[in-house]
């Protein structure tokens, strides 16, 4: 496996079935259409992800997280990644407004789970089970990922509620380990979730950057401080 560099992370393979995931200070939005750097973002996302992976592990979710390997680096299990993004939504925001006739901030009666094909060249299109099968992912595998995603939602929603934060929506990625198990991977951070302050409804996530809502680092720090 070669070193892989994505928009916000670098993935460096080790020889023992483990991988270093290095979080960069780069931020991109709108499929790379908007770019900037924020000193300290990599550290914040690594620390927040570590904290949330630990919380999920404690609650019975199998994740790739092994430990923290330095300031902005995590050690994780090497997985064969699925080319999918699984999005869970509790509150209407973002691209859901293009699909349903509800205003931003509307509480959904039950969570919505969506599947996307992770492919920048196609702008991560939304797909269904048929497309997933064409990509070589079985219906049973998708169902398992969706079930895990809904469990993750229950755990995180309750956890954030206690911190005065609404978990609006988030994106997960999964991989398969050497034993053929489906394992939660990638990161869980303000880059990949929408978090709103329960009182003010202010964004504590990447929407601050996407929509010029203020200082990204202050928002991420506020989130981090509430978790620690
Ligand atoms: P939306 O579809 O509304 O743009 O995104 C839904 C949720 O999934 C948001 O929390 C967003 O941050 C996350 N998400 C969806 N696609 C991506 C992606 O390609 N990269 C990242 N970092 N997050 C994503």
């Amino acid at each position: 496996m070669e070193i892989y560099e994505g928009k916000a992370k670098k993935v460096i393979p080790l020889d023992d079935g483990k991988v270093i995931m290095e979080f960069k200070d780069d931020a991109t939005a709108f499929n790379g259409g908007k770019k900037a750097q924020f000193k300290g973002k990599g550290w914040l996302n690594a620390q927040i992800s570590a904290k949330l992976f630990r919380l999920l592990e404690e609650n019975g979710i199998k994740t790739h997280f092994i430990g923290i390997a330095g300031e902005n680096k995590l050690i994780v299990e090497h997985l064969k990644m699925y080319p999918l993004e699984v999005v869970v939504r509790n509150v209407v925001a973002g691209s859901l407004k293009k699909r349903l006739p509800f205003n931003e901030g509307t509480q959904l009666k039950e969570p919505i789970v969506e599947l996307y094909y992770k492919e920048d060249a196609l702008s991560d299109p939304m797909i269904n089970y048929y497309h997933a099968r064409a990509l070589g992912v079985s219906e049973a595998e998708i169902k398992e990922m969706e079930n895990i995603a809904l469990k993750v939602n229950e755990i995180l929603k309750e956890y954030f509620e206690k911190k005065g934060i609404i978990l609006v929506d988030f994106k997960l990625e999964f991989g398969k380990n050497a034993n053929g198990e489906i394992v939660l991977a990638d990161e869980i951070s303000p880059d990949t979730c929408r978090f709103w302050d329960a009182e003010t409804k202010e964004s504590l996530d990447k929407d601050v950057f996407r929509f010029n809502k203020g200082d990204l680092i202050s928002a991420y720090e506020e989130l981090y401080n509430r978790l620690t």
Side-chain angles (χ1 to χ4, degrees), residues 89 93-100 114 116 126 169 194:
R89 302 174 182 276
S95 70
L96 186 61
K97 287 178 292 186
K98 293 187 214 154
R99 246 173 261 292
L100 293 176
E114 297 170 344
Y116 294 85
M126 188 190 238
D169 55 30
R194 284 196 175 93

Side-chain angles (χ1 to χ4, degrees), residues 7-9 28 30-31 85-89 93-99 114 116 118 120 123-124 126 167-173 186-187 189-195 205-207 210-211:
K7 293 188 290 262
K9 291 195 294 295
T28 66
F30 309 117
N31 198 23
E85 299 182 344
V86 181
V87 168
V88 182
R89 302 174 182 276
S95 70
L96 186 61
K97 287 178 292 186
K98 293 187 214 154
R99 246 173 261 292
E114 297 170 344
Y116 294 85
K118 187 179 161 78
D120 282 346
S123 307
D124 296 351
M126 188 190 238
L167 177 62
V168 173
D169 55 30
F170 57 93
K171 181 262 299 178
L172 300 179
E173 294 183 27
D186 198 51
E187 67 183 290
S189 75
D191 268 15
T192 61
C193 306
R194 284 196 175 93
F195 300 112
D205 58 60
K206 204 164 90 176
D207 273 356
R210 289 189 188 102
F211 304 112

Side-chain angles (χ1 to χ4, degrees), residues 92-121:
V92 177
S95 70
L96 186 61
K97 287 178 292 186
K98 293 187 214 154
R99 246 173 261 292
L100 293 176
F102 304 140
N103 293 328
E104 170 116 348
T106 307
Q107 173 70 46
L108 294 162
K109 289 201 182 74
E110 53 183 80
I112 290 178
V113 183
E114 297 170 344
L115 283 181
Y116 294 85
Y117 174 37
K118 187 179 161 78
E119 177 54 65
D120 282 346

Side-chain angles (χ1 to χ4, degrees), residues 25-219:
D25 284 344
D26 301 88
T28 66
F30 309 117
N31 198 23
K34 184 173 178 179
K35 287 186 199 160
Q37 273 209 334
F38 297 95
K39 197 168 163 23
K41 179 173 96 72
W43 183 84
L44 283 159
N45 278 352
Q47 303 303 315
I48 293 167
S49 286
K51 173 116 192 119
L52 297 178
F53 278 132
R54 278 199 192 107
L55 170 78
L56 292 172
E57 287 275 352
E58 283 161 18
N59 284 276
I61 302 288
K62 206 167 165 23
T63 83
H64 70 161
F65 178 73
I66 297 170
I68 294 178
E71 289 276 293
N72 58 340
K73 297 188 187 81
L74 305 184
I75 300 194
V76 301
E77 185 183 6
H78 172 57
L79 302 172
K80 187 167 176 358
M81 292 300 291
Y82 289 97
L84 302 178
E85 299 182 344
V86 181
V87 168
V88 182
R89 302 174 182 276
N90 298 305
V91 174
V92 177
S95 70
L96 186 61
K97 287 178 292 186
K98 293 187 214 154
R99 246 173 261 292
L100 293 176
F102 304 140
N103 293 328
E104 170 116 348
T106 307
Q107 173 70 46
L108 294 162
K109 289 201 182 74
E110 53 183 80
I112 290 178
V113 183
E114 297 170 344
L115 283 181
Y116 294 85
Y117 174 37
K118 187 179 161 78
E119 177 54 65
D120 282 346
L122 298 174
S123 307
D124 296 351
M126 188 190 238
I127 59 166
N128 64 27
Y129 283 31
Y130 289 88
H131 301 99
R133 273 212 298 274
L135 291 167
V137 189
S138 74
E139 203 160 317
E141 288 170 293
I142 303 267
K143 287 221 166 92
E144 191 174 337
M145 288 182 233
E146 289 178 340
N147 285 335
I148 300 170
L150 285 168
K151 275 189 209 150
V152 167
N153 185 45
E154 287 311 309
I155 297 161
L156 294 185
K157 210 170 58 174
E158 195 191 320
Y159 174 78
F160 280 104
E161 227 166 69
K162 289 186 190 140
K163 315 275 183 192
I165 293 166
I166 301 169
L167 177 62
V168 173
D169 55 30
F170 57 93
K171 181 262 299 178
L172 300 179
E173 294 183 27
F174 293 88
K176 206 183 232 186
N177 69 13
N179 302 324
E181 294 168 304
I182 292 178
V183 177
L184 180 61
D186 198 51
E187 67 183 290
I188 309 178
S189 75
D191 268 15
T192 61
C193 306
R194 284 196 175 93
F195 300 112
W196 290 355
D197 179 279
E199 298 258 305
T200 64
K201 306 290 189 293
E202 264 174 334
S203 293
L204 300 174
D205 58 60
K206 204 164 90 176
D207 273 356
V208 170
F209 169 63
R210 289 189 188 102
F211 304 112
N212 307 315
K213 291 179 172 192
D215 177 43
L216 176 133
I217 293 296
S218 310

